[in-house]
Amino acid sequence: MMKNNNEKRRSKKPLLLSLSLVLILSGLWFSTTSTATFLKGYMLYKTGNVEAKEFSSKQESPAIEIPENPEKQEAIKSETNSEYPETPEIGDLMGELIIPKLEASLPIIHGTDEAELEKGVGHFAQSVMPGENDNSVLSGHRDTVFRELGEVGKGDILIVKTFSGTFTYKVRQVRIVDEDDRTVIVPKPRATLTVSTCYPFDYVGYAPDRYILVADLVASE
């Protein structure tokens, strides 16, 4: 009788070991796929952590100090040809993107790595700041902050608020391009806002294209 019990225990060990190995491998697969990123981003969106009202630039200003001395301000502006005294650090909150058509206000974070895109709309660090002459590029995930961006098109208004002012853009063009299309970030002869997200919006898995809004600056204050 005792011999039979020992044999049963030994027969259960390989089964338990195999089950443990399957659970460990499944956990590793989940953490390294876009599924984990999607769920994390979706939960951030649903809990309000990507809502601009949670990141009010007045309540939590980025780590940038504007000189109080008017002469020093003018000197900096003449050197940089902009109203921004310095570039924010990667990960800094730098303002908010308001999309009136969607009744949406979204935080803009400097940088477009996954860490920044999980918090809101990312500002491509190699592009100019909003309101400046040239091309300012913003990007966001289609499954979190930009889930409804496909409803925004030609003639619609985009508003960017930063500590340096409020800049209103009007969408001039809608483009759908390949993910490797570098024309999205090329320089522009005037103040332009380019907003990008993955496309198609309902695509399952990694989307191959990009939905692009090209907007011209029409007002600033």
Side-chain angles (χ1 to χ4, degrees), residues 187-202:
K188 301 290 185 180
R190 54 183 172 175
T192 302
L193 183 71
T194 299
V195 181
S196 170
T197 193
C198 294
Y199 182 87
F201 290 95
D202 58 354

Side-chain angles (χ1 to χ4, degrees), residues 57-78:
S57 56
K58 292 182 179 179
Q59 296 175 356
E60 298 180 38
S61 58
I64 302 174
E65 296 182 1
I66 301 177
E68 296 181 0
N69 188 328
E71 294 182 358
K72 188 174 182 181
Q73 288 185 27
E74 289 301 319
I76 292 174
K77 286 165 66 175
S78 63

Side-chain angles (χ1 to χ4, degrees), residues 131-149:
E132 293 184 328
N133 289 327
D134 209 331
N135 188 13
S136 183
V137 181
L138 303 180
S139 298
H141 283 316
R142 64 186 167 113
D143 47 26
T144 55
V145 291
F146 283 159
R147 288 188 298 174
E148 300 178 339
L149 193 67

Side-chain angles (χ1 to χ4, degrees), residues 37-38 40-42 44-45 49-50 90-91 106-124 137-146 196-198 210:
T37 300
F38 167 79
K40 188 173 182 180
Y42 181 74
L44 283 169
Y45 181 85
N49 287 339
V50 294
I90 296 296
L106 305 164
I108 301 175
I109 310 299
H110 190 58
T112 50
D113 288 337
E114 191 57 37
E116 290 77 58
L117 295 181
E118 286 181 353
K119 300 175 185 177
V121 178
H123 172 253
F124 182 53
V137 181
L138 303 180
S139 298
H141 283 316
R142 64 186 167 113
D143 47 26
T144 55
V145 291
F146 283 159
S196 170
T197 193
C198 294
R210 298 293 179 265

